[in-house]
Amino acid sequence: MTEAELETARQEMVRKQLQNRGIHDRSVLDAMAKVPRERFVAAPMRHDAYADRALPIDCGQTISQPYIVGLMTQALELSGPERVLEIGTGSGYQTAVLAELAREVVTIERHRELSQRASEALSALGYRNVVPRVADGTLGHPAGAPFERIIVTAAAEECPPALFTQLAEGGLLVIPLGGRDYQTLRAIRKIAGQPQAASLSTCRFVPLVGADGWTE
Ligand code: SAH
């Protein structure tokens, strides 16, 4: 595909997969109209970069469907000054969308190879407000807490307590919760230290694997 064809596919993705399905936050639509998703998938899959589904990446993981990225990002209600903690860097695509909308993104990945590749793609695109780390994200990132926003892009049975602890008062945490195969996307707000949860959609994520998650 040529650059022009990819650009057309990107704008069509925003219209058909996001706007037509109720993603209305202008800043999220603009960010996703800008971030070149093809730079986060392997070369042979580039022609499918804007397909309406998740795609395989290395280490048996996936880059989320564009609609799910839009839905999760919109649910974070970013306005610019926030510091975001992301668990599950994967390809780095969601990281790039967050980096367009927030002050800083600390992103944690358990697979060194994925973190490395994502970091290279993000640097090549000029993102300077991303801090990549290789670690077990179920424990969060205590040294950087509190975070105004936390996003988990792998599935857990319950929200790891460390993550809620590291969420700032009034902050928002978005996470897929449920079984190993199917989950519900939840948006949890911290109000007076207590969680207030809302459900966004059903979804399918790869498991969150770690000390406070699933075993491999
Ligand atoms: N947001 C990513 C989706 C990645 S899939 C994207 O847009 O490409 C989920 C990722 O979470 C996988 O890369 C997986 O390795 C990672 N992961 C799973 N458990 C983890 C943990 N405990 N800590 C950090 N990363 C984890």
Side-chain angles (χ1 to χ4, degrees), residues 42-216:
M45 305 224 58
R46 217 145 270 179
H47 63 283
D48 258 349
Y50 296 98
D52 189 12
R53 56 186 173 87
L55 297 173
I57 56 174
D58 287 337
C59 304
Q61 307 302 318
T62 54
I63 170 172
S64 304
Q65 180 189 14
Y67 173 70
I68 293 293
V69 174
L71 193 63
M72 291 178 93
T73 308
Q74 177 170 271
L76 285 177
E77 299 180 8
L78 295 165
S79 64
E82 300 87 359
R83 288 179 61 248
V84 182
L85 175 65
E86 178 188 42
I87 310 300
T89 314
S91 67
Y93 174 69
Q94 169 80 73
T95 317
V97 174
L98 295 171
E100 289 285 342
L101 299 169
R103 178 155 66 87
E104 182 179 79
V105 185
V106 177
T107 183
I108 303 186
E109 171 57 53
R110 61 187 286 269
H111 289 290
R112 184 170 299 278
E113 187 185 332
L114 290 178
S115 178
Q116 188 76 43
R117 195 154 303 174
S119 301
E120 282 165 19
L122 290 160
S123 299
L125 288 168
Y127 291 104
R128 299 279 171 268
N129 57 341
V130 174
V131 182
R133 288 181 56 86
V134 178
D136 175 3
T138 64
L139 306 176
H141 182 52
F147 293 92
E148 284 87 35
R149 301 288 186 268
I150 299 179
I151 176 172
V152 183
T153 66
E157 266 187 299
E158 283 173 31
C159 181
L163 298 182
F164 190 71
T165 301
Q166 291 168 35
L167 183 66
E169 173 61 25
L172 273 164
L173 189 163
V174 176
I175 182 171
L177 295 179
R180 235 185 137 116
D181 294 323
Y182 292 93
Q183 307 88 30
T184 305
L185 210 49
R186 311 274 279 171
I188 303 169
R189 203 185 282 274
K190 192 182 230 178
I191 305 283
Q194 296 302 309
Q196 279 192 5
S199 297
L200 303 176
S201 152
T202 54
C203 54
R204 293 194 72 174
F205 277 83
V206 296
L208 181 72
V209 175
D212 214 349
W214 298 97
T215 49
E216 198 134 17

Side-chain angles (χ1 to χ4, degrees), residues 16-27:
K16 293 188 178 166
Q17 300 177 39
L18 305 182
Q19 282 186 293
N20 286 359
R21 289 187 203 148
I23 307 291
H24 49 76
D25 185 323
R26 191 68 251 170
S27 66

